Amino acid sequence: MAGSKTKSDIAVVLVAAGRGERAGSPHEGPKQYRLIGGRPVLRQTLIALLDNAAIGEIVTVIHPDDVGLFNQSVSGLEKRVRHVFGGASRQSSTLLGLQALAQSPPEYVMIHDAVRPFVDKELVSKLAEFLSADTGVVPVLPIAETIKRKDQRGFVSETVSRAGLFAAQTPQAFPFIPILRAHERARDHSEHEFTDDASIAEYAGLKVRVSDGSPTNIKLTWKHDIEMADQKLSGAAMFPDVRVGNGYDVHAFEPGDYVMLCGVNIPHHAKLSGHSDADVGLHALTDALLATRGAGDIGTHFPPSDPQWRGASSRMFVEHAASIVRAAGGRIANADVTLICESPKITPNREAMVTAVASMLQISKERISIKATTNEKLGFIGRSEGIAAIATASVVYPGGLN
């Protein structure tokens, strides 16, 4: 064995540019973006790959028509996943993915079909262990069915021995430079269309060893495959994936004649100080929503140092966070905001606040709670120097906790 690999060692080329004609009607879209367990197939595959310590950057090769679908599928994963456009065939698309990595070449690369969403950590780790500087690795399964060859008239002409025959899976793993050169050589000197990357490695003289594949690492080819995958993931959700996020924010008063609180303009003898409209309630709620995705905080997405957010409505911050939640298939079950201040009075404005927040989140008002408390004259809030807010958001995501 070649020894364990670190995250910087292995990149992935994820091939996702196909049209999936065999997987259903065109109006259903490419199969890599169909939903299984409430997630696009592509996202399910990416999450499975990123759950491996050996994996670093992933370059996804997509069709130019699928940019919008791709962006929705990778929301929250952008730091480790980027895309390039593919070619007319899988072989040409893979080469384009490899060339995208060549600017800062990894030591090794795994090439994987986007429509194999059940690739597991054990399989990836095993491939990583077998990799070496001069040897590729392909996972295989022994062929269980009897193999028949038919003639031009549709009759059986021969029963083929299964001895020594295996079905190849992906990911297929290689030292990066040799497989890149092999693909370039195949492009320039061979008219043969290769069906997988191991066959290109063989053509170029690169040694390829076999490793045990996984029977669950199926390729979603037909519509029935996608339906079965959806049933598998949906049925596995014995415990729902309910996530709760918290947010806290505080703003000081400055001279002015109104405050913005939970989307409502309230006349007051001072205003809140902040780079945007300083809506402390909405800022806390934005952080709570982002927390359910592990997507950073409001400053990550809207840096206060960026002048474009000066005076901006905080409504856009909440709607941006809600869009991140929805892109991952999340449903906002409840939003609760507590405003901590001596003044202004919140009760006369509560109904307007609930209506505004419900509109931002696109959920019913009964799922919104906005309330207030004082600080009993204690601390900076008790001295009426500012307002604080605490927010909690509950979101139900697809899938479950197994």
Side-chain angles (χ1 to χ4, degrees):
M1 293 187 182
S4 62
K5 310 295 188 296
T6 64
K7 181 174 288 188
S8 60
D9 287 330
I10 304 176
V12 175
V13 170
L14 189 63
V15 186
R19 299 292 83 198
E21 290 87 352
R22 292 175 288 180
S25 303
H27 75 272
E28 296 179 277
K31 60 186 176 183
Q32 58 269 34
Y33 299 106
R34 309 272 181 88
L35 297 184
I36 54 172
R39 286 174 173 162
V41 171
L42 175 63
R43 185 176 185 86
Q44 186 74 29
T45 305
L46 284 167
I47 289 173
L49 290 169
L50 291 170
D51 191 33
N52 293 272
I55 300 299
E57 181 183 18
I58 298 180
V59 171
T60 308
V61 188
I62 70 171
H63 193 281
D65 292 345
D66 297 342
V67 173
L69 292 170
F70 173 80
N71 288 338
Q72 292 178 11
S73 298
V74 303
S75 176
L77 307 177
E78 295 90 348
K79 288 185 178 180
R80 293 178 61 188
V81 180
R82 61 186 173 105
H83 75 275
V84 296
F85 294 136
S89 67
R90 185 192 187 281
Q91 182 177 327
S92 61
S93 291
T94 302
L95 176 56
L96 289 166
L98 291 170
Q99 290 172 333
L101 288 169
Q103 297 174 359
S104 181
E107 189 170 357
Y108 304 101
V109 64
M110 290 187 182
I111 303 170
H112 189 52
D113 297 323
V115 290
R116 288 186 186 267
F118 298 114
V119 56
D120 58 55
K121 184 181 295 187
E122 182 180 358
L123 176 60
V124 171
S125 298
K126 190 184 303 181
L127 295 175
E129 288 293 322
F130 284 141
L131 267 174
S132 70
D134 61 356
T135 304
V137 190
V138 56
V140 300
L141 290 176
I143 294 177
E145 292 84 0
T146 298
I147 306 299
K148 303 289 186 180
R149 179 176 285 118
K150 71 175 184 177
D151 61 21
Q152 293 181 346
R153 298 177 300 163
F155 292 94
V156 173
S157 63
E158 181 185 4
T159 298
V160 181
S161 173
R162 295 176 301 189
L165 294 183
F166 296 85
Q169 299 181 322
T170 69
Q172 298 181 1
F174 308 93
F176 179 74
I177 296 300
I179 193 62
L180 173 62
R181 298 290 178 256
H183 263 275
E184 291 173 337
R185 179 179 171 186
R187 175 198 61 193
D188 297 337
H189 302 292
S190 176
E191 295 181 359
H192 179 71
E193 188 68 31
F194 296 89
T195 56
D196 75 346
D197 304 288
S199 59
I200 291 178
E202 298 158 29
Y203 158 80
L206 177 63
K207 292 185 296 183
V208 180
R209 69 169 296 165
V210 298
S211 176
D212 291 338
S214 169
T216 62
N217 182 29
I218 61 171
K219 184 177 181 180
L220 306 185
T221 302
W222 307 97
K223 184 176 182 179
H224 180 64
D225 297 332
I226 297 174
E227 292 171 349
M228 290 185 64
D230 183 45
Q231 292 172 8
K232 175 180 179 179
L233 289 174
S234 299
M238 296 180 63
F239 299 97
D241 187 3
V242 180
R243 307 183 192 182
V244 178
N246 293 313
Y248 173 81
D249 195 32
V250 60
H251 285 282
F253 281 123
E254 66 179 14
D257 56 8
Y258 74 95
V259 291
M260 288 295 299
L261 290 175
C262 293
V264 176
N265 185 313
I266 303 174
H268 195 53
H269 58 72
K271 66 188 292 283
L272 292 174
S273 174
H275 194 64
S276 62
D277 63 7
D279 191 324
V280 65
L282 295 189
H283 291 187
L285 179 56
T286 298
D287 279 350
L289 290 166
L290 292 172
T292 69
R293 290 298 303 153
D297 59 17
I298 192 170
T300 305
H301 298 263
F302 304 96
S305 58
D306 191 335
Q308 70 173 307
W309 309 124
R310 189 179 305 280
S313 169
S314 296
R315 180 186 183 104
M316 72 171 64
F317 304 161
V318 172
E319 291 177 339
H320 173 76
S323 72
I324 290 176
V325 168
R326 286 193 296 272
R331 293 177 296 156
I332 301 171
N334 171 255
D336 176 47
V337 179
T338 300
L339 299 168
I340 309 168
C341 60
E342 302 297 326
S343 63
K345 295 294 184 182
I346 301 303
T347 300
N349 299 286
R350 179 181 289 113
E351 182 61 28
M353 293 178 181
V354 169
T355 299
V357 173
S359 173
M360 297 174 206
L361 300 183
Q362 300 178 25
I363 61 176
S364 63
K365 293 195 292 184
E366 67 179 10
R367 295 183 180 277
I368 307 294
S369 169
I370 296 176
K371 55 192 182 297
T373 186
T374 69
N375 223 38
E376 299 295 338
K377 303 296 183 180
L378 299 175
F380 74 93
I381 294 175
R383 296 191 297 270
S384 295
E385 296 174 4
I387 298 178
I390 300 171
T392 303
S394 300
V395 180
V396 182
Y397 285 96
L401 302 177
N402 301 323

